[in-house]
Amino acid sequence: MKTAAALLAPALLLAALSGCGLRPLYGGVDSAPRAMLSSVQVAPIEGQDGWLVAKELNDRFSAVSGGTPRYRLEVRLDDSITGLGVRRDDSITRERRTLRARYQLVDLSTGTVVLDATAGSDAGVDVVGSEYATIAAEQTALERLAGIVADQIVARLALYAARTPQQ
């Protein structure tokens, strides 16, 4: 009896979910988000953090590439490191690295900004006795943050494309 109920419950749950209106954002080859993401070119972004974010964005756009550029993505970054934990001798024991991006999606045919938004994340870094180890941890945090920010930007662009009627 327990076995039949255990098998029946997930089947009923799946049947209920099929009618809830959820659908995949990138669903199918002809989806609006896929088409729009394939037509975005990333403008150069200044600095090492800019290079990392641009690389991450281009990696994500190349997965759906194939279209001619219709949009240009312009990104401005703000990268900061703030000391958090302080010892009695005023030395810092913990840092927070924050990467914020303001990005604009520009329609190349008209030159108008069709989307203006922000993305960002932060990561904690332990400050240890070795300066090399601390710098390596800060660099690793920046690389992780670049991927997180790129994911946020791509998700927001896909959502914009899904909600905006395409011409």
Side-chain angles (χ1 to χ4, degrees):
M1 184 67 121
K2 280 188 173 182
T3 310
L7 292 175
L8 187 59
L12 290 174
L13 182 63
L14 287 175
L17 281 178
S18 66
C20 72
L22 290 177
R23 56 191 160 85
L25 182 62
Y26 302 104
V29 177
D30 298 337
S31 72
R34 184 176 292 274
M36 196 273 284
L37 291 176
S38 70
S39 64
V40 174
Q41 72 179 34
V42 180
I45 309 169
E46 289 183 24
Q48 178 192 18
D49 52 354
W51 180 85
L52 287 168
V53 171
K55 182 181 85 60
E56 294 288 340
L57 286 168
N58 284 321
D59 287 349
R60 284 149 181 80
F61 292 143
S62 68
V64 291
S65 67
T68 58
R70 182 173 171 205
Y71 300 99
R72 180 179 63 247
L73 183 64
E74 298 175 352
V75 181
R76 286 181 301 285
L77 296 174
D78 178 28
D79 179 22
S80 64
I81 299 176
T82 307
L84 294 176
V86 180
R87 291 188 185 114
R88 290 179 195 216
D89 64 352
D90 287 335
S91 62
I92 296 173
T93 60
R94 185 108 173 121
E95 296 175 336
R96 174 182 290 148
R97 183 156 206 166
T98 304
L99 184 63
R100 301 278 180 251
R102 178 166 183 217
Y103 57 96
Q104 296 178 326
L105 187 65
V106 178
D107 188 332
L108 292 175
S109 62
T110 63
T112 59
V113 175
V114 295
L115 178 66
D116 187 351
T118 60
S121 189
D122 60 356
V125 176
D126 286 329
V127 177
V128 295
S130 167
E131 189 174 335
Y132 175 79
T134 301
I135 292 171
E138 291 171 352
Q139 182 63 29
T140 301
L142 178 59
E143 291 168 5
R144 279 194 324 268
L145 292 173
I148 292 168
V149 168
D151 285 340
Q152 290 176 2
I153 292 171
V154 170
R156 179 65 178 94
L157 293 179
L159 190 60
Y160 167 79
R163 292 180 176 172
T164 305
Q166 301 296 314
Q167 294 92 345

